[in-house]
Amino acid sequence: MGKLFVISAPSGTGKTSLIHATLEDKNAEKTKLGISCTTREKRAQEKNDESYFFVSKEEFDEKIKNNEFLEYAEVFGNFYGTPKEWVLNSLSNKENVILELDIQGALQVKEAFPETKTVFIIPPSYNDLSSRLEKRSQDTEEEIKKRLMEAKREIFIGQKFDQIIVNDDFEKALHDLKQFIFSGDTLSPERKGITDDSLNLLLD
Ligand code: 5GP
């Protein structure tokens, strides 16, 4: 069996870039990223069947009825679900699977498969998260406020994940993530100290 990893993070933490860079590593040959189904609108740079399988709400409901999802959740008003058969087939083919899920999905997968390794990526501070959300110019001021409030709730839950990684510096966070995924290594004492400090600040 391959290993199953679930990676979650508050919106704007840099999770997607970290995951994509991890998958470009030479050790990632047997590691794949799951493609989810979603009812949300396709963004300009996204391709169907590559970023997501974009489906209608009716198609999504049909898949729920047919028990096709390992988990599904509503995130910011859209539905997202992980195709069960693809994940289970990949794992039995000894491939490692990374799922990029929201926090509810991560908890559901961990409950169904306790051997899943859960990773939670945190920003170094709310100020940092706020400026990243502003820089990506994807959301209105109102939405940014909502995402920051949601981040607080997510971090409270995410602190219990198997591994917490702080994205204070992209290369350092990438190193931490690769070490955990490819070697099962936890953080160096220095990185652990920085991560704990950020987490305490965010939970304050
Ligand atoms: P976005 O719309 O920005 O691509 O994703 C919004 C959120 O939905 C992100 O936190 C992303 O990780 C999460 N997400 C993507 N696919 C799934 C899925 O299949 N299940 C769950 N629970 N969350 C997902």
Side-chain angles (χ1 to χ4, degrees):
M1 284 293 269
K3 288 189 201 137
L4 181 58
F5 296 91
V6 174
I7 305 184
S8 280
S11 173
T13 311
K15 165 186 65 168
T16 305
S17 309
L18 285 168
I19 294 174
H20 285 280
T22 299
L23 290 167
E24 277 164 22
D25 192 87
K26 60 177 179 353
N27 292 312
E29 218 175 286
K30 293 208 120 270
T31 303
K32 301 195 300 192
L33 180 63
I35 303 177
S36 299
C37 289
T38 184
T39 62
R40 93 148 152 70
E41 291 282 312
K42 188 151 69 71
R43 294 183 189 130
Q45 75 284 10
E46 289 179 324
K47 291 200 181 105
N48 196 19
D49 299 1
E50 212 176 279
S51 316
Y52 285 106
F53 298 111
F54 294 94
V55 298
S56 66
K57 181 70 173 63
E58 290 69 33
E59 287 170 298
F60 197 91
D61 287 343
E62 192 62 27
K63 287 177 188 295
I64 297 176
K65 229 177 31 201
N66 296 334
N67 198 23
E68 288 180 42
F69 292 131
L70 193 61
E71 62 72 42
Y72 67 91
E74 185 178 355
V75 186
F76 297 116
N78 298 303
F79 288 85
Y80 296 83
T82 309
K84 186 177 357 188
E85 196 176 301
W86 180 87
V87 173
L88 298 182
N89 284 344
S90 304
L91 294 174
S92 31
N93 287 338
K94 298 196 169 61
E95 287 167 312
N96 302 320
V97 172
I98 296 180
L99 299 176
E100 184 185 341
L101 306 182
D102 88 307
I103 198 118
Q104 315 160 65
L107 294 176
Q108 288 182 55
V109 173
K110 183 76 174 176
E111 197 175 311
F113 300 99
E115 65 281 13
T116 304
K117 298 286 177 207
T118 50
V119 179
F120 193 69
I121 300 172
I122 56 170
S125 66
Y126 288 112
N127 270 348
D128 180 273
L129 184 59
S130 169
S131 45
R132 284 195 216 199
L133 286 169
E134 272 161 28
K135 239 190 257 157
R136 78 178 186 181
S137 313
Q138 201 176 281
D139 309 299
T140 60
E141 274 303 309
E142 193 58 31
E143 278 164 341
I144 291 180
K145 255 196 221 150
K146 237 203 266 172
R147 287 185 193 274
L148 286 170
M149 270 162 55
E150 183 63 12
K152 198 154 198 151
R153 193 185 70 83
E154 290 168 328
I155 291 164
F156 187 74
I157 301 170
Q159 63 176 313
K160 302 257 164 54
F161 276 33
D162 296 316
Q163 183 67 67
I164 297 176
I165 291 174
V166 60
N167 190 9
D168 53 338
D169 172 293
F170 185 81
E171 289 308 324
K172 288 180 183 164
L174 179 60
H175 177 266
D176 293 342
L177 183 60
K178 284 187 191 174
Q179 287 285 104
F180 184 70
I181 302 244
F182 300 129
S183 321
D185 289 351
T186 48
L187 304 178
S188 68
E190 189 202 342
R191 292 295 291 160
K192 172 95 173 70
I194 295 171
T195 307
D196 287 348
D197 287 349
S198 299
L199 187 61
N200 289 334
L201 186 82
L202 294 165
L203 287 171
D204 218 9

